Amino acid sequence: MNLTGKKIVLGITGGIAAYKSAEVVSRLRHAGAEVHVIMTENATKFVAPLTFQTLSANPVITDTFAAPEYWNVKHVALAQLADVFVIAPATANILAKMATGIADDMLSTTVLATKAPVLVAPAMNTGMWTAEATVQNTETLRKRGVHFVGPDSGILACGDKGAGRMSEPETIVEAISDILNRKKDLAGLKVLVTAGATRERLDPVRFLTNDSSGKMGFALAEAARDRGAETTLVKGSTTAKIPDGIRIIEIESAADLLRTMKKECCTQDVVIQAAAVADYRVENPSATKIKKKKGEPLVITLAENPDIAQAVGTMKKNGQTLVGFAAETDHVLEHAAEKLTAKNLDMIVANDVTKPGAGFNTDTNIATLITGNGAEELPIMRKRQLADIILDRITEIRNS
Ligand code: PMT
């Protein structure tokens, strides 16, 4: 196993299984990973922080906040640094905090702030693991894309028999490795993703646009990159962090996007169009700044933009897979299904942008995937998790 250069933040909560986490750290270090440990105050009662400091060769962050400013900076720093965020052992308490967004100590604060994949290894008494509250919290976390390893069944520290034992260190490290080295099932494929908002100029200083942040398209491009595809991202105006390791083509208007797609599409195996494209442009944009004329309304005539997805659909080549998005506010499935046919798509991802947690500028989305074979309704989840499901379905379509 090679985890060279991977940055792993390991949260340890208060349970007897905390001693097993020493071996997790040791195995991760042997595999080449950089490990940063955060312990809850209760965890420090089971194992001394010095153990983890020695094994990780990094300072251990605990819940003793001598200097609040330092803590404030640090929780963001560790949240951003992690390639994967692991909590082992994870008590019922931390699962409940994560499910409800409680951030009242260093660990719960940092895990709430992270955008990295999160893996938890629960360890608790069987009664706690099977309690309705824990079952619901676990369900919530799974839906949000949190990965689980274990718990195993057996004789527990309290003497009870049943589910609740933390998975063995070797299994936890394998689960971490699986997340970090995701399947490379798109190796050899060229994937193009469009993201962000187009801008239609009124004059040199003003434009018409929309709320797209680029998060959905970026998540798709990142997922395609991680799964081995040669990935191109055609991006309009965005506010999210631009992913690394991806060929980027910048566009501004729908006309730019059309030109780019005509040039690029024929060489792509998969084209996913998540950009929010203006249906109309300003008919006669002014070459100079439009001056205010007091007391007179400003009348702007809009001309219809070309439908780029439709144009790409008419150029579709054999073996190519085309996926579009539909941002809808009403009759979501009907409108999306019409676009599936009109744009000659293999799949359309319908999102009702009026729902909280869906659509523009959110880290999550709520989507229904529509193909010629029917509709798959998905629960709310992180855009990155949705991106992986979309890529899974694309792979299925290509293999069918
Ligand atoms: O970027 P985020 O903040 O993460 O937000 C994500 C999102 C809401 C932008 C994304 O999930 C989404 O729904 N993108 C499509 C937005 C859109 O333009 O939907 P539409 O229903 O108007 O268009 C349908 C499809 O046709 C889209 O694939 C679009 O790229 C394409 N289109 C639309 C108009 C046009 N003139 N040309 C096009 O190619």
Side-chain angles (χ1 to χ4, degrees):
M1 184 179 299
N2 185 359
L3 299 178
T4 306
K6 300 292 184 192
K7 297 178 179 64
I8 294 159
V9 175
L10 174 64
I12 301 174
T13 60
I16 186 65
Y19 80 92
K20 287 199 207 170
S21 300
E23 194 186 331
V24 173
V25 177
S26 174
R27 281 176 178 267
L28 289 172
R29 292 269 292 145
H30 275 115
E34 179 183 317
V35 185
H36 297 268
V37 175
I38 305 174
M39 298 180 78
T40 63
E41 198 174 338
N42 285 341
T44 64
K45 308 254 166 61
F46 288 90
V47 185
L50 186 60
T51 305
F52 293 106
Q53 186 176 317
T54 309
L55 290 170
S56 69
N58 273 316
V60 171
I61 317 290
T62 65
D63 284 336
T64 320
F65 303 131
E69 324 79 62
Y70 169 76
W71 167 70
N72 270 334
V73 173
K74 199 75 185 176
H75 85 269
V76 175
L78 282 184
Q80 289 173 347
L81 167 138
D83 290 317
V84 61
F85 200 114
V86 185
I87 303 185
T91 55
N93 188 43
I94 190 73
L95 297 181
K97 285 192 199 178
M98 287 166 71
T100 47
I102 291 175
D104 63 351
D105 61 12
M106 187 62 172
L107 180 59
S108 51
T109 305
T110 314
V111 73
L112 184 64
T114 195
K115 296 275 181 287
V118 176
L119 172 74
V120 293
M124 64 195 78
N125 163 273
T126 305
M128 293 169 82
W129 175 245
T130 53
E132 188 56 30
T134 308
V135 170
Q136 277 182 19
N137 291 333
T138 303
E139 175 89 6
T140 303
L141 293 173
R142 280 189 207 277
K143 277 188 182 162
R144 281 187 209 147
V146 171
H147 303 268
F148 278 72
V149 53
D152 295 345
S153 290
I155 298 182
L156 307 175
C158 57
D160 282 0
K161 215 172 158 194
R165 278 171 66 90
M166 187 171 90
S167 292
E168 292 307 315
E170 192 182 354
T171 313
I172 294 173
V173 173
E174 270 168 17
I176 294 169
S177 171
D178 278 356
I179 292 171
L180 287 169
N181 303 307
R182 280 168 205 267
K183 51 188 175 183
K184 299 284 182 199
D185 58 345
L186 301 183
L189 290 184
K190 288 186 169 185
V191 174
L192 182 147
V193 180
T194 70
T198 54
R199 287 180 172 179
E200 304 298 335
R201 290 269 158 202
L202 275 83
D203 69 12
V205 296
R206 303 182 182 97
F207 49 81
L208 300 176
T209 190
N210 59 66
D211 286 324
S212 174
S213 62
K215 286 179 183 179
M216 189 65 244
F218 288 3
L220 282 156
E222 280 171 349
R225 173 202 63 195
D226 292 349
R227 290 167 69 156
E230 192 183 318
T231 308
T232 301
L233 178 62
V234 181
K235 65 167 281 298
S237 160
T238 56
T239 50
K241 185 178 172 296
I242 299 168
D244 301 320
I246 291 172
R247 176 174 167 243
I248 309 270
I249 301 175
E250 305 256 4
I251 56 102
E252 182 174 276
S253 63
D256 295 342
L257 181 59
L258 180 63
R259 258 192 306 278
T260 304
M261 296 300 267
K262 278 185 172 166
K263 191 164 157 234
E264 297 289 331
C265 273
C266 52
T267 59
Q268 301 296 324
D269 299 297
V270 177
V271 177
I272 309 173
Q273 298 174 80
V277 185
D279 286 323
Y280 294 92
R281 67 180 181 281
V282 178
E283 192 168 54
N284 292 308
S286 171
T288 53
K289 185 179 171 190
I290 299 168
K291 295 289 168 215
K292 188 167 90 177
K293 290 189 187 144
K294 224 172 160 212
E296 279 184 41
L298 176 64
V299 178
I300 296 166
T301 307
L302 299 180
E304 196 181 339
N305 262 336
D307 189 314
I308 294 130
Q310 203 163 38
V312 171
T314 57
M315 295 186 293
K316 185 177 180 186
K317 59 169 190 153
N318 272 348
Q320 196 174 45
T321 312
L322 301 181
V323 176
F325 271 70
E328 305 292 347
T329 56
D330 63 291
H331 301 89
V332 177
L333 299 188
E334 292 97 304
H335 290 322
E338 282 162 17
K339 288 175 185 174
L340 175 78
T341 317
K343 296 172 197 250
N344 195 21
L345 299 165
D346 295 286
M347 178 164 79
I348 192 152
V349 182
N351 38 194
D352 179 343
V353 293
T354 64
K355 283 189 184 162
F360 294 103
N361 203 15
T362 51
D363 290 327
T364 54
N365 207 351
I366 306 167
T368 301
L369 312 185
I370 306 175
T371 65
N373 292 331
E376 179 184 5
E377 199 179 326
L378 296 171
I380 186 167
M381 63 181 72
R382 281 172 188 263
K383 284 183 172 166
R384 173 55 200 256
Q385 197 195 357
L386 174 60
D388 271 307
I389 294 175
I390 292 168
L391 293 178
D392 288 345
R393 297 299 172 267
I394 289 172
T395 306
E396 286 162 21
I397 291 170
R398 292 183 65 78
N399 293 338
S400 66

